[in-house]
Amino acid sequence: MLNRIILIGRLTRDPELRYTPAGVAVTQFTLAVDRNFTGQNGEREADFIPVVTWRQLAETCANYLRKGRLAAVEGRIQVRNYENNEGKRVYVTEVIADNVRFLESSQNREGGNAPSGGSMPEEPAYGGGNGGNSARGNNNNFSRSNNNQDPFSGDGKPIDISDDDLPF
């Protein structure tokens, strides 16, 4: 059996960070995911999907995600139910996220200007509710570590590569 889901959409509001009585962080937000077709009125429709994150991932989402930001969520669908104050059974379907990727930086959403107090913090994408692995949202770390120099520039000179270095 398999229960995996991957969604890409925009947050409808800022994430809500709470803590359980045991001190475990939990964040809830809603992701608006566009449908591939238009409705009868000719406008695109969207599904509004509730997402829940736990532990370190919850705190990271609360710190970096904001309303309108584009994010990718990977996780599983969970259906739970409870009895409300009126004695009626209420069913809730939500995505329990294992991994959230921030697909745009806050600088992109705000016109590319960093605040006057300095540069924006790095915005990594985190995975794993149990202290899982983390990875940067942008995998282009090579250019950052080399002061933005083009690693393939050689001033027109030939590159000396031995046959042992080639993978084929």
Side-chain angles (χ1 to χ4, degrees), residues 139-155:
N139 291 328
N140 189 7
N141 293 330
F142 187 83
S143 62
R144 271 189 238 162
S145 63
N146 288 327
N147 298 327
N148 293 328
Q149 293 177 353
D150 183 1
F152 300 105
S153 66
D155 299 329

Side-chain angles (χ1 to χ4, degrees), residues 80-100:
R80 59 184 173 88
N81 63 70
Y82 63 92
E83 198 169 298
N84 67 8
N85 295 339
E86 300 168 357
K88 290 194 169 195
R89 180 76 42 203
V90 177
Y91 291 88
V92 178
T93 303
E94 56 199 2
V95 173
I96 307 301
D98 299 327
N99 191 2
V100 175

Side-chain angles (χ1 to χ4, degrees), residues 40-148:
Q40 291 180 347
N41 58 3
E43 293 186 21
R44 287 193 76 112
E45 295 181 8
D47 292 304
F48 298 91
I49 301 169
V51 178
V52 178
T53 60
W54 291 89
R55 298 176 184 77
Q56 178 65 42
L57 179 60
E59 292 177 341
T60 302
C61 287
N63 288 335
Y64 291 109
L65 286 177
R66 295 289 174 259
K67 177 181 177 179
R69 295 278 303 274
L70 189 64
V73 172
E74 181 182 1
R76 62 183 171 84
I77 293 178
Q78 173 178 287
V79 179
R80 59 184 173 88
N81 63 70
Y82 63 92
E83 198 169 298
N84 67 8
N85 295 339
E86 300 168 357
K88 290 194 169 195
R89 180 76 42 203
V90 177
Y91 291 88
V92 178
T93 303
E94 56 199 2
V95 173
I96 307 301
D98 299 327
N99 191 2
V100 175
R101 295 212 177 252
F102 310 137
L103 299 180
E104 63 185 3
S105 70
S106 59
Q107 293 174 344
N108 289 349
R109 296 284 299 164
E110 298 169 3
N113 296 328
S116 59
S119 63
M120 295 295 288
E122 287 290 325
E123 297 187 18
Y126 283 93
N130 295 326
N133 299 330
S134 66
R136 295 194 186 278
N138 179 359
N139 291 328
N140 189 7
N141 293 330
F142 187 83
S143 62
R144 271 189 238 162
S145 63
N146 288 327
N147 298 327
N148 293 328

